[in-house]
């Protein structure tokens, strides 16, 4: 997509297909994030117009939900579970390792744009703690060594 | 005839490498020219044995686990297709004590069937509840559910039949069934296992709910952290619709029920029912004042049944076997079964569906086998991040809503997170406040401001700044949160905080 296009046509297509659904805003935001990886600021007035909402309302919804992001993610997004079950299996050591390995904190993206790091409050894998997810793939009982292996697999898939 | 092999597609099993194992088995079979029928089932819930591969034999299904891809060739060499001897051979699956000693009603099919095969569902007693419901008047369906004694499995334990009755008796042209599948509590995964492992049972339960109260439209509000459940639910909905179990004319009855899955977006508070309804309407997940109850004025202002996944998934067996059958399990006012989820620092984590009444100690030691690290279990948190921490002295408590309430603890959704003796309970109390601050919807002041002040007070306690005064302040603040918050997020955050303080004062700097 050429600059300075922020995905206007993709956004329009998503809005067009969903705007008549009851409670359409969340499905539209999911659709946009699925297509573009984030919700560009330019899409806010377009969504507001289509749903007869104020821009403030749309902005309020985007920022209320942890999952929606307003900046492009890295090539891969690493979600580390911060919840109690994972804590009981020493997830905090794993998180410290992950942060130092990637050289970033939560909500940041590596300089090379390869990885974004996000916390998540429970992946429902509490019987396999500590758990992480990368691009929707799940990994359980992750040690620091295993984390490094997984990163390598993700970087250069077999 | 080709041998049937089962490799779970449950995300717990996938997180431990089930996909690679399935791939390796298919490859090895092809290499050896052996015809196999590879089925991707849900998980039996024995997670220390996952990936657990099962082989169908004349004597029943035989389990092998935990299997890694490198062991697959060895399994073929050991003739595992005929139940051959191998170090990983666990014998007949159904005879594994962890599984054998359960009472699986709601999870009867999970791990057994192909989750997205309607044929398999029907072959294993699926849609019998709906068939019965179609012959009953709405009030009779509600009566079966009321008679069963089923209480909301999401945590609040409100009698499901009473909720349904309110919706039935509220007149409106449009009513809704909403499934709360925003399973955000740490330590819980039974909703996920049902949705991934037997989505049809939830669909059937919601369809019966629609018939019972006169609702022709349902929504499953699913958390975005569950992509595997999303796929299986949508596949199952499509299959049910194709076969006439959903749509405008259910099984030729002339009654309609349409169902759709909607995704949440990572807000814990949307597990609170009114915040969930706001979110479904496309708004921020702000908690609503009650009344009006959702049963009277719910989704889009219409009468709405909103129930947890397990509540709705327990309805088909109630309509199949009758309310009394279900009610005969359990103790006191806690009737039926609870899918207990054993998690955290535990040797044998998993799903244990039992009649109410089993004690924590039995679950932790007889099933769980003690901590994963081999150190003593110091505390368990039952009922999610808003549940109390319980010390060893309370381990003989039976799993029963009232028995837990009497101890100022919470059975909730039945999740148990185990901690060994390396846990710092002041740290856990601080985390509870931090979590509340992170997830507060911001509508009410005690939760919005109180949680942040709570983190600050906990930091002072941990850093030994005017400790005695700050502990007093923490109790005051907790009192405000408990009594003045709009919903359970602020209103129950004091459970983990104060239970940690009361049972483990030494961790907060008190003289031991």
């Amino acid at each position: 997509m050429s600059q300075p296009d922020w995905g206007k046509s993709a956004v329009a297509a998503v809005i067009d297909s969903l705007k008549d659904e009851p409670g359409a805003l969340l499905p539209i935001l999911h659709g946009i994030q699925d297509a573009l990886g984030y919700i560009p600021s330019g899409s806010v007035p377009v969504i507001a117009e289509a749903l007869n909402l104020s821009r403030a309302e749309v902005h309020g919804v985007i920022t209320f939900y942890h999952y929606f992001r307003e900046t492009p993610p890295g090539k891969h997004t690493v979600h580390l579970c911060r919840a109690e079950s994972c804590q009981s299996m020493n997830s905090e050591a794993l998180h410290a390792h992950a942060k130092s390995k990637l050289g970033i904190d939560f909500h940041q993206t590596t300089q090379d744009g390869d990885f974004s790091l996000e916390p998540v409050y429970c992946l429902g894998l509490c019987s396999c703690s500590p758990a992480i997810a990368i691009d929707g793939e799940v990994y359980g009982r992750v040690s620091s060594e295993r984390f490094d292996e997984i990163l390598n697999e993700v970087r250069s898939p077999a | 005839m080709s041998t049937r092999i089962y490799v779970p597609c449950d995300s717990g099993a996938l997180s431990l490498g089930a996909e690679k194992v399935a791939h390796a088995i298919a490859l090895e079979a092809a290499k050896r020219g052996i015809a196999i029928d590879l089925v991707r089932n849900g998980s039996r819930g024995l997670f220390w044995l996952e990936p657990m591969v099962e082989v169908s034999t004349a004597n029943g299904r035989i389990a092998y686990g935990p299997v890694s891809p490198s062991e697959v060739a060895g399994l073929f060499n050991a003739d595992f297709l005929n139940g051959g001897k191998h170090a990983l051979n666990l014998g007949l699956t159904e005879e594994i004590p962890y599984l054998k000693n359960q009472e699986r009603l709601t999870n009867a099919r999970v791990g057994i069937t192909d989750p997205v095969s309607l044929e398999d569902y029907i072959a294993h007693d699926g849609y019998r509840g709906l068939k019965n419901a179609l012959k009953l008047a709405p009030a009779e369906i509600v009566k079966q559910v009321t008679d069963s004694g089923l209480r909301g499995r999401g945590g609040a334990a409100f009698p499901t039949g009473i909720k349904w009755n309110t919706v039935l008796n509220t007149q409106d042209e449009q009513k809704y069934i909403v499934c709360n599948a925003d399973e955000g509590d740490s330590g819980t995964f039974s909703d996920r296992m049902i949705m991934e492992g037997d989505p049809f049972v939830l669909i059937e339960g919601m369809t019966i709910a629609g018939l019972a109260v006169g609702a022709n439209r349902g929504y499953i509000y699913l958390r975005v952290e569950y992509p595997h459940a999303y796929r299986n639910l949508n596949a199952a909905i499509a299959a049910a619709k194709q076969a006439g179990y959903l749509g405008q004319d259910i099984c030729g009855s002339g009654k309609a029920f349409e169902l759709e899955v909607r995704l949440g977006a990572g807000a814990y508070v949307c597990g609170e029912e009114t915040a969930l309804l706001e979110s479904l309407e496309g708004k921020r997940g702000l908690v609503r004042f009650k009344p009006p109850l959702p049963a009277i004025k719910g989704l889009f202002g219409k009468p709405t049944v909103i129930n947890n996944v397990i509540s709705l998934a327990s309805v088909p067996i109630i309509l199949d076997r009758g309310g009394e059958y279900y009610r005969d399990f359990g103790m006191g006012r806690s009737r039926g079964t609870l899918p207990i989820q054993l998690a955290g620092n535990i040797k044998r984590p998993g799903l244990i569906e039992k009649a109410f009444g089993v004690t924590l100690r039995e679950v932790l030691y007889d099933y769980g086998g003690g901590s994963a690290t081999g150190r003593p279990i110091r505390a368990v948190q039952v009922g999610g991040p808003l549940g109390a921490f319980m010390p060893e002295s309370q381990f003989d408590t039976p799993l029963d809503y009232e028995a837990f309430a009497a101890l100022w603890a919470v059975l909730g959704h039945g999740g148990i997170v185990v901690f060994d003796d390396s846990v710092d309970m002041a740290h856990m109390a601080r985390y509870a406040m931090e979590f509340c601050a992170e997830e507060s919807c911001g509508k009410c002041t005690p939760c919005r401001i109180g949680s942040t002040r709570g983190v600050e007070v906990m930091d002072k306690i941990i850093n030994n700044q005017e400790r005695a005064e700050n502990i007093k302040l923490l109790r005051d603040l907790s009192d405000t949160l408990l009594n003045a918050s709009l919903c359970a997020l602020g209103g129950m955050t004091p459970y983990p905080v104060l239970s940690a303080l009361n049972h483990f004062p030494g961790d907060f700097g008190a003289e031991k």
Side-chain angles (χ1 to χ4, degrees):
Chain A
M1 227 174 273
S2 64
Q3 294 291 334
D5 184 359
W6 44 264
K8 198 172 180 179
S9 54
V11 167
V14 169
I15 293 174
D16 202 46
S17 67
L18 293 168
K19 68 177 185 328
D20 296 324
E21 295 288 323
L25 184 50
L26 262 73
I28 286 175
L29 296 176
H30 274 294
I32 293 172
Q33 188 154 311
D34 285 349
L36 303 174
Y38 73 113
I39 298 164
S41 59
S43 64
V44 173
V46 191
I47 300 168
E49 168 92 26
L51 298 183
N52 197 22
L53 295 169
S54 71
R55 281 179 286 167
E57 283 170 305
V58 176
H59 174 75
V61 169
I62 294 169
T63 52
F64 180 87
Y65 294 96
H66 299 306
Y67 177 77
F68 295 132
R69 47 183 309 144
E70 298 172 282
T71 53
K75 211 155 96 191
H76 308 286
T77 301
V78 180
H79 281 102
L80 303 179
C81 178
R82 280 203 65 199
E84 290 89 340
S85 179
C86 289
Q87 288 184 43
S88 79
M89 291 301 281
N90 209 9
S91 58
E92 290 187 353
L94 173 66
H95 298 177
H97 172 80
K99 287 174 183 177
S100 96
K101 175 92 186 168
L102 294 170
I104 51 173
D105 206 337
F106 284 132
H107 309 298
Q108 294 180 347
T109 300
T110 52
Q111 287 273 311
D112 58 11
D114 274 357
F115 292 98
S116 293
L117 193 60
E118 298 291 336
V120 63
Y121 292 88
C122 201
L123 292 162
L125 301 171
C126 318
S127 54
C128 314
S129 296
I132 71 169
I134 302 180
D135 305 333
E137 294 292 324
V138 288
Y139 305 88
R141 291 185 214 143
V142 181
S143 62
S144 295
E145 296 72 41
R146 178 79 186 113
F147 180 82
D148 294 350
E149 286 171 22
I150 295 167
L151 275 199
N152 288 334
E153 287 170 28
V154 170
R155 264 207 193 96
S156 39
Chain B
M1 210 179 87
S2 58
T3 308
R4 185 167 286 185
I5 301 179
Y6 297 85
V7 182
C9 65
D10 174 277
S11 60
L14 294 178
S15 83
L16 302 172
E19 197 62 45
K20 284 183 178 160
V21 171
H23 188 69
I25 289 174
L27 214 64
E28 192 66 30
K31 208 166 87 184
R32 297 177 187 229
I34 302 169
I36 58 162
D37 176 14
L38 189 61
V39 176
R40 303 305 299 273
N41 56 333
S43 170
R44 298 274 194 163
L46 316 174
F47 283 101
W48 76 100
L49 299 174
E50 292 286 3
M52 190 176 92
V53 174
E54 288 177 84
V55 181
S56 189
T57 73
N59 299 325
R61 279 158 72 158
I62 292 178
Y64 294 82
V67 177
S68 68
S70 62
E71 284 159 317
V72 166
L75 285 172
F76 275 90
N77 291 339
D79 194 26
F80 86 125
L81 292 177
N82 291 305
K85 281 205 180 95
H86 189 278
L88 298 179
N89 187 324
L90 302 162
L92 290 167
T93 313
E94 307 279 350
E95 294 298 318
I96 298 172
Y98 199 93
L99 199 56
K100 192 181 183 182
N101 297 329
Q102 299 192 25
E103 285 105 37
R104 290 209 167 186
L105 304 185
T106 308
N107 291 279
R109 275 171 299 267
V110 173
I112 294 175
T113 53
D114 174 350
V116 295
S117 161
L118 179 60
E119 203 182 19
D120 220 2
Y121 182 67
I122 291 168
H124 287 82
D125 298 340
Y127 275 123
R128 286 165 50 135
L130 179 69
K131 290 270 156 69
N132 287 340
L134 283 167
K135 291 180 223 144
L136 298 175
E140 290 172 319
I141 303 175
V142 174
K143 186 175 181 298
Q144 289 288 327
V145 174
T146 307
D147 288 349
S148 74
L150 177 67
R151 293 163 70 182
R153 295 285 187 261
F158 187 81
T160 305
I162 292 178
K163 194 183 265 190
W164 287 22
N165 201 43
T166 307
V167 178
L168 172 64
N169 292 321
T170 305
Q171 298 308 316
D172 207 307
E173 279 178 17
Q174 181 66 60
K175 300 179 186 179
Y176 294 104
I177 308 297
V178 173
C179 172
N180 184 344
D182 197 45
E183 183 178 52
D185 290 346
S186 178
T188 67
F189 47 87
S190 64
D191 294 357
R192 178 184 66 67
M193 286 187 66
I194 283 278
M195 293 186 288
E196 290 178 359
D198 191 18
F200 287 109
V201 79
L202 174 59
I203 295 168
E204 183 182 352
M206 291 184 75
T207 310
I208 294 169
L211 294 172
V213 305
N216 64 7
R217 191 158 190 89
Y219 290 97
I220 299 171
Y221 184 89
L222 176 70
R223 62 200 304 261
V224 71
E225 292 85 352
Y226 284 0
H228 305 85
Y230 187 62
R231 283 198 283 277
N232 280 7
L233 281 169
N234 278 324
I237 287 171
K241 202 167 169 148
Q242 173 79 27
Y245 285 98
L246 282 174
Q248 289 304 306
D249 183 17
I250 301 162
C251 303
S253 67
K255 300 211 166 108
F257 192 70
E258 301 283 355
L259 185 56
E260 187 184 329
V261 186
R262 285 284 179 92
L263 286 177
Y268 175 76
V269 76
C270 289
E272 196 282 333
E273 60 179 12
T274 63
L276 187 156
L277 296 174
E278 289 285 302
S279 184
L280 263 182
E281 291 181 9
K283 303 172 194 160
R284 289 182 290 153
L286 295 189
V287 174
R288 292 178 183 170
F289 290 100
K290 286 194 276 196
L293 296 171
I296 290 163
K297 218 168 166 241
L299 184 63
F300 301 115
K302 299 294 182 185
T304 303
V305 165
I306 176 163
N307 281 138
N308 167 257
V309 172
I310 300 298
S311 311
L312 289 162
S314 298
V315 167
I317 193 160
I318 291 168
L319 266 292
D320 177 15
R321 309 291 292 269
E324 282 179 21
Y325 172 80
Y326 189 81
R327 194 185 57 201
D328 284 346
F329 292 87
M331 68 173 277
R333 288 174 51 221
S334 304
R335 310 310 313 177
T337 58
L338 180 70
I340 301 156
Q341 302 124 83
L342 188 55
N345 194 330
I346 189 85
K347 198 168 161 192
R348 295 194 291 264
L351 180 81
I352 306 160
E353 182 174 348
K354 286 288 286 178
F356 286 93
V358 60
T359 68
L360 263 179
R361 196 178 297 281
E362 290 172 76
V363 172
L364 294 173
Y365 296 99
D366 297 352
Y367 285 88
S371 77
T373 47
R375 301 169 68 107
I377 296 177
R378 184 159 185 242
V380 298
Q381 187 179 30
V382 186
L386 307 175
F389 288 101
M390 302 172 77
E392 214 266 336
S393 61
Q394 296 183 336
F395 286 178
D396 291 312
T397 312
L399 269 66
D400 163 70
Y401 294 118
E402 278 66 40
F404 269 62
L407 294 172
W408 207 69
V410 184
L411 185 50
H413 189 48
I416 302 175
V417 176
V418 181
F419 296 85
D420 72 12
D421 65 351
S422 65
V423 68
D424 176 344
M425 297 307 294
H427 183 80
M428 296 313 296
R430 184 195 184 279
Y431 173 81
M433 285 292 189
E434 185 193 354
F435 181 72
C436 182
E438 183 77 14
E439 298 296 334
S440 176
C441 84
K443 183 157 174 170
C444 75
T445 314
C447 175
R448 182 182 69 246
I449 310 271
S451 53
T452 299
R453 294 290 94 85
V455 173
E456 293 163 4
V457 173
M458 275 311 308
D459 279 337
K460 286 179 187 160
I461 293 169
I462 290 166
N463 296 325
N464 199 12
Q465 287 172 255
E466 298 169 278
R467 201 171 248 164
E469 291 77 7
N470 276 303
I471 286 179
K472 186 171 175 296
L473 196 57
L474 183 68
R475 288 190 185 279
D476 266 10
L477 180 64
S478 294
D479 194 53
T480 305
L481 278 164
L482 267 170
N483 293 298
S485 298
L486 190 55
C487 82
L489 178 49
M492 289 177 65
T493 293
Y495 276 73
V497 174
L498 293 182
S499 59
L501 175 61
N502 292 337
H503 298 307
F504 306 94
D507 290 18
F508 292 72
E511 294 295 321
K512 290 190 185 172

